[in-house]
Amino acid sequence: MPPGAPVPWSYFLIRTLFRIVLKIFYGTIVVEGVENIPPTGHPCIVCANHTNSLTDALILVTAIPSWRRNMLHLTAKSTQFGKKTLTSWLIEAAGTVPIQRRKDFVEGTANNDAAMEKMTETLEIGDAVCLFPEGGSRYHPTIAPLKTGVARIVSTILSRNRNNVDFEISILTCSITYMHRQHFRSDVLVSFHPPLTFRPKDNPELLEPMNYDSIRFVTAQMHQQIATGTFDAPSWGHIRAAKMATPIYAPLGTAMSLGDYVRVTRTFLEVFKAGRLSSPHTSSAGSASPEVGVEWKDENVVKLKEDLEVSSYVTINQMFLDDHPRQVYQSELHKVRIRDDRVRRPLSRPVIMYRMVLRFIWVSFLLSISLGGLALWLPVAATTFYAVHNFKKSGPVWDTWDEIAQYKLIYGLVSGLCVYAIAVFLTFPIFPVTVVAVPGLMWMSLRWFEDAVSAARAFVALWRLLRVNPATLARLRSTRADLHRRLMPLAVRGLGLPANPEEYFVYGGKDKGRVIGWWASRAEYFSVRRRRKRDWNETLRLYEQFDYPPEDS
């Protein structure tokens, strides 16, 4: 097996810097399927869906552990090369391959022959190359038709090595799912799928001269694998409906792993896309519980999807119109500004007031101990906000949303390094201490502030719950019970999901979000891995985040 090219030190620098900034910006990056990554020395093309511009590439670079692959060669637009800037130097020194885009050159002058030759040579020595077969980054609910370039590269390399009986090359597909792609302290799921492996002796149909149908077939396989690990829908409404169905079916929050959450939501999404069930399934966890008394029907699927979609996404104006015809569960929740979990588990008024006192004390304490570190974060937040605010004004929603996270990461990294350097310089007499103490203080203050926001969010939710009329709460519980009664037959009998989700999906891993148990919740409070999220939808905000653009944007 080829040893692969030596790894330049600049690559280690880039990976370290962006591992830090990604860990700060995103609450949790859960990586699944690491065992599917071919080891160093095995030619490999890493392909993923592309919804978040440069951030997607950085996620992949940091998600692939160095003990599996020592390096992942990236591709970047050629206009970023040859400049006297730090960014340009780092890109070139890290072995990135320049790609000429048609829109950057006058018509007919873009030529990527040299880039293709460079990628071919890189793969033949056993390295890995990252490509995004969708082409450009795009913030849409559906995955774009994949371009055939990856399959054609595989065909070229197999043809060049047709006489090497031991040669093989793999396409490693990956699905990247952002809970809220551009929001601070959101979460990310990275799922690596079993690789598609090709050999000259086993895949003669890909040897030149090949039938183009074989290229399209490989591309279709890639699309299918990528789509099975993330949300792929014709509209945002389908995704909203599926995301509303999951907590009603399995109200576990972060006690359910992020991977299970995405897979269950995608299961609902697929049936809502089809609008029907072709056949019933048998749940691996057993048959439906006796109290599930409604059989699944295609018309029930369509009606349930419509109710979930409309009720989970109603405009602010529609929310408060008394004559709005579809003002059901989620729109009612929006009106009283409470969440589904507050309806599902009723609390007495004395308990609510007692919890409010505890949350208020906890918020006050956490904010007081985090003030010092937050002062260091203030310039970073201000710089990032100003940069993104100006960037949003540069174009329409569809042309700016897919680069917001990239802008936040880059400006956050640069401003954060500046703050760190200035803090160390101003405390130069004790710099051996501040070199370590400053980032430690910034990190822990971020953790404390995140917990303070979580507690404040709970305080506000309890206060709103206290103000809700008991009759309104009773009506909401009745509506939710009806939705649950209609959803369970679809989930269990129609989709084969477990009939006991609150037992089946409980997860206690390190990336699940919350620390379970009396000792762990106290002894591990100051752990850098500590998080206090109620569900995977939360970001560092006092309100629930809905960030989908209008369908006609």
Side-chain angles (χ1 to χ4, degrees):
M1 184 178 292
V7 183
W9 68 268
S10 55
Y11 183 82
F12 289 109
L13 174 63
I14 291 173
R15 185 164 58 183
T16 301
L17 286 176
F18 282 103
R19 179 172 286 136
I20 292 172
V21 73
L22 285 170
K23 180 62 179 174
I24 292 172
F25 188 80
Y26 292 109
T28 299
I29 300 177
V30 180
V31 182
E32 297 182 331
V34 172
E35 67 279 1
N36 293 323
I37 303 174
T40 298
H42 184 109
C44 177
I45 304 176
V46 181
C47 303
N49 54 309
H50 200 17
T51 63
N52 210 359
S53 192
L54 178 63
T55 308
D56 293 332
L58 302 179
I59 288 283
L60 290 176
V61 166
T62 57
I64 297 178
S66 56
W67 54 269
R68 293 294 296 185
R69 305 273 340 179
N70 57 8
M71 189 175 182
L72 177 64
H73 291 267
L74 300 176
T75 55
K77 57 185 179 182
S78 59
T79 53
Q80 292 182 331
F81 290 73
K83 298 180 179 179
K84 296 181 179 180
T85 62
L86 175 63
T87 302
S88 180
W89 176 80
L90 286 174
I91 289 175
E92 294 178 25
T96 305
V97 179
I99 300 293
Q100 294 185 5
R101 303 187 304 176
R102 292 180 180 178
K103 69 178 183 179
D104 295 328
F105 293 82
V106 295
E107 186 174 353
T109 61
N111 189 328
N112 285 308
D113 291 343
M116 294 301 105
E117 180 64 24
K118 175 64 176 178
M119 282 190 285
T120 299
E121 294 174 354
T122 299
L123 289 165
E124 286 181 331
I125 64 174
D127 277 353
V129 172
C130 176
L131 293 171
F132 295 100
E134 281 187 277
S137 173
R138 54 197 302 280
Y139 187 41
H140 294 284
T142 183
I143 298 174
L146 303 190
K147 302 181 184 301
T148 58
V150 173
R152 287 187 281 115
I153 291 174
V154 170
S155 174
T156 298
I157 294 178
L158 288 177
S159 299
R160 287 172 51 141
N161 294 271
R162 67 173 71 223
N163 295 323
N164 184 353
V165 295
D166 296 324
F167 182 83
E168 63 179 26
I169 182 172
S170 294
I171 298 176
L172 177 66
T173 57
C174 175
S175 303
I176 306 176
T177 306
Y178 299 89
M179 294 300 100
H180 296 285
R181 50 193 293 287
Q182 77 272 26
H183 290 298
F184 195 49
R185 304 304 292 166
S186 184
D187 305 295
V188 188
L189 176 68
V190 183
S191 302
F192 291 103
H193 304 290
L196 304 172
T197 302
F198 306 91
R199 304 175 184 86
K201 62 179 180 180
D202 297 333
N203 303 97
E205 72 280 2
L206 293 176
L207 299 180
E208 298 174 348
M210 76 292 185
N211 188 330
Y212 205 75
D213 288 340
S214 301
I215 298 296
R216 285 193 287 264
F217 178 74
V218 172
T219 305
Q221 285 183 295
M222 295 164 50
H223 191 291
Q224 182 181 20
Q225 280 196 333
I226 294 173
T228 58
T230 189
F231 304 139
D232 181 25
S235 72
W236 292 118
H238 288 79
I239 296 178
R240 296 183 201 110
K243 282 191 172 183
M244 187 65 248
T246 298
I248 293 178
Y249 162 71
L252 293 168
T254 50
M256 183 184 198
S257 75
L258 181 56
D260 284 338
Y261 171 81
V262 170
R263 282 183 287 273
V264 170
T265 302
R266 186 187 173 279
T267 300
F268 286 118
L269 175 60
E270 289 302 304
V271 73
F272 290 157
K273 284 166 55 178
R276 62 185 299 273
L277 284 167
S278 57
S279 62
H281 294 75
T282 301
S283 170
S284 59
S287 59
S289 54
E291 65 270 17
V292 179
V294 179
E295 291 291 345
W296 59 267
K297 295 180 180 179
D298 289 346
E299 55 267 30
N300 292 346
V301 173
V302 175
K303 181 64 165 59
L304 180 59
K305 182 262 178 186
E306 291 175 351
D307 288 347
L308 289 168
E309 177 184 353
V310 174
S311 62
S312 64
Y313 190 72
V314 181
T315 66
I316 297 297
N317 290 333
Q318 289 172 327
M319 245 178 247
F320 296 97
L321 290 176
D322 292 336
D323 59 348
H324 188 254
R326 301 300 296 275
Q327 224 172 30
V328 289
Y329 186 58
Q330 269 296 317
S331 56
E332 287 288 334
L333 290 182
H334 281 296
K335 286 179 64 176
V336 296
R337 306 291 296 276
I338 62 175
R339 293 162 53 104
D340 172 72
D341 61 330
R342 300 294 178 182
V343 174
R344 188 177 65 91
R345 293 180 176 178
L347 299 173
S348 65
R349 298 179 75 84
V351 171
I352 293 175
M353 290 186 286
Y354 170 72
R355 293 189 178 186
M356 287 178 63
V357 172
L358 293 183
R359 297 299 189 279
F360 180 80
I361 295 173
W362 192 225
V363 170
S364 302
F365 172 72
L366 289 172
L367 287 178
S368 64
I369 65 175
S370 63
L371 286 177
L374 292 179
L376 296 174
W377 281 110
L378 186 60
V380 180
T383 302
T384 304
F385 175 82
Y386 179 77
V388 173
H389 178 71
N390 286 340
F391 174 67
K392 285 182 178 180
K393 295 188 295 184
S394 64
V397 168
W398 57 266
D399 196 35
T400 56
W401 273 43
D402 71 330
E403 293 188 11
I404 291 177
Q406 171 186 324
Y407 266 70
K408 289 183 177 180
L409 288 171
I410 298 297
Y411 279 90
L413 173 62
V414 173
S415 57
L417 291 175
C418 290
V419 169
Y420 178 49
I422 293 172
V424 173
F425 175 77
L426 294 178
T427 57
F428 187 76
I430 56 170
F431 82 91
V433 176
T434 55
V435 163
V436 178
V438 169
L441 176 61
M442 293 180 71
W443 179 254
M444 289 311 302
S445 65
L446 175 62
R447 287 298 192 187
W448 295 330
F449 183 66
E450 189 175 17
D451 279 0
V453 172
S454 176
R457 186 165 49 236
F459 176 88
V460 173
L462 291 168
W463 176 71
R464 289 170 178 163
L465 188 62
L466 195 63
R467 297 180 59 193
V468 177
N469 186 286
T472 301
L473 275 178
R475 185 175 68 254
L476 287 171
R477 292 190 189 106
S478 176
T479 303
R480 188 189 189 281
D482 179 67
L483 285 172
H484 183 268
R485 180 185 62 83
R486 296 164 56 194
L487 188 68
M488 287 303 290
L490 172 65
V492 179
R493 300 177 186 174
L495 301 176
L497 293 172
N500 54 339
E502 294 186 64
E503 298 177 7
Y504 184 86
F505 288 111
V506 170
Y507 182 72
K510 63 185 179 182
D511 56 8
K512 59 168 281 298
R514 303 189 73 183
V515 179
I516 295 178
W518 186 91
W519 171 253
S521 65
R522 288 155 178 79
E524 296 186 12
Y525 179 77
F526 292 96
S527 167
V528 296
R529 305 189 70 93
R530 174 72 178 183
R531 297 170 62 250
R532 291 179 63 85
K533 288 193 174 184
R534 296 184 64 89
D535 63 51
W536 295 113
N537 189 54
E538 290 185 8
T539 61
L540 194 61
R541 280 168 167 74
L542 289 173
Y543 51 87
E544 189 167 359
Q545 189 65 48
F546 293 98
D547 60 352
Y548 301 122
E551 302 291 353
D552 57 352
S553 293

